């Protein structure tokens, strides 16, 4: 399965949202050429675009489906209300939201909505921008071009508190013969309505470690214990196009 996203472009030195029909079509055509394929299995709108009516975006994507260039259509970073508006023109088949142990807001409205409407959920960021790998400690620093270098979430007392939580999770995982990364991924996949966890990696060994999470089955008692560990953690959001 090949899945990709469109709807962002550079404007000068800024990244902006653009889900206009012309830009989405250009993105699809360029992806087909770059990938050397005849169609894209899943094409997703990267972020809601306040300057383009959802009806225009949906209609443009339906045209691409009708032409055989796209097979399935999804959205990313949309709220439940935004998905409902988009779906008036074209059904939303998948949603790609951010979701991890330090960021759980989709549990309130988004996941109930996607379950009710049979929408596949592919969550991104299950390792909390590196926090849940165990590789970040309270003294961590980041390159100037890394958004975390400017984020108060990754320094000071906030980082210290969350690192303490990760260390507790590490102990919990180690008792089960697992890594904290595997625990975080398994926790994500154990949530009702979540179908896929998208995990970034730069090394083959990291991929192998992540795949081992599929064999970890968390019981209700495990999930309750993890919730107790996470009590008092500081919520960790991520970047938006306007912030990078």
């Amino acid at each position: 399965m090949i899945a990709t996203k469109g709807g962002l472009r550079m404007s000068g030195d800024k990244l902006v949202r653009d889900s206009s029909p012309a830009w989405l079509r250009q993105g699809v055509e360029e992806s087909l050429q770059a990938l050397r394929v005849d169609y894209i299995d899943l094409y997703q709108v990267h972020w809601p675009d306040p300057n383009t009516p959802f009806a225009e975006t949906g209609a443009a994507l339906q045209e691409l489906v009708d032409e055989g260039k796209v097979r399935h259509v999804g959205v990313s970073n949309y709220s439940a209300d935004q998905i409902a508006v988009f779906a008036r023109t074209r059904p939303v088949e998948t949603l790609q939201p951010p979701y991890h142990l330090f960021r759980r807001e989709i549990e309130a409205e988004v996941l109930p909505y996607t379950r009710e409407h049979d929408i596949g959920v592919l969550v991104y960021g299950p390792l909390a921008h590196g926090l849940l790998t165990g590789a970040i400690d309270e003294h961590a620093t980041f390159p100037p071009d890394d958004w975390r270098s400017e984020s108060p979430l990754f320094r000071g007392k906030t980082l210290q508190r969350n690192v303490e939580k990760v260390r507790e999770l590490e102990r919990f995982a180690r008792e089960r013969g697992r890594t904290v990364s595997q625990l975080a991924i398994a926790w994500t996949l154990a949530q009702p309505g979540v179908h896929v966890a998208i995990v970034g990696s730069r090394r083959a060994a990291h991929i192998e470690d992540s795949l081992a999470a599929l064999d970890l089955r968390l019981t209700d008692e495990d999930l309750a214990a993890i919730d107790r560990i996470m009590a008092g953690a500081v919520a960790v959001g991520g970047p938006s196009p306007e912030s990078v």
Side-chain angles (χ1 to χ4, degrees), residues 7 22 46 79 81 92 103 109 119 134 148 197 203 208 218 243:
H46 210 135
S79 69
D81 288 343
V92 173
R103 187 173 187 178
E109 296 182 0
I119 295 172
R148 292 173 297 181
R203 300 179 184 175
E208 293 168 358
L218 298 174
S243 68

Side-chain angles (χ1 to χ4, degrees), residues 66-81:
D66 294 341
E67 294 169 15
K69 296 177 178 179
V70 170
R71 289 201 165 179
H72 301 281
V73 170
V75 297
S76 181
N77 299 299
Y78 276 53
S79 69
D81 288 343

Side-chain angles (χ1 to χ4, degrees), residues 123-200:
V123 302
Y124 71 85
L127 298 182
H129 312 291
L131 265 177
L132 290 167
T133 64
I136 294 176
D137 64 20
E138 57 268 45
H139 307 296
T141 58
F142 305 94
D145 60 349
D146 187 320
W147 67 271
R148 292 173 297 181
S149 68
E150 300 294 331
S151 173
L153 296 169
F154 284 87
R155 58 176 178 258
K157 292 184 178 179
T158 295
L159 178 60
Q160 182 178 356
R161 182 189 302 181
N162 283 345
V163 166
E164 290 171 356
K165 296 296 180 182
V166 173
R167 287 173 178 156
E168 290 184 57
L169 291 171
E170 283 182 309
R171 288 192 288 272
F172 184 89
R174 195 160 48 244
E175 291 170 358
R176 288 151 181 79
R178 300 290 180 164
T179 66
V180 69
S181 297
Q182 292 166 353
L183 180 69
I185 297 167
W187 176 88
T188 301
L189 293 172
Q191 305 310 308
V194 174
H195 304 91
V196 174
I198 301 172
V199 184

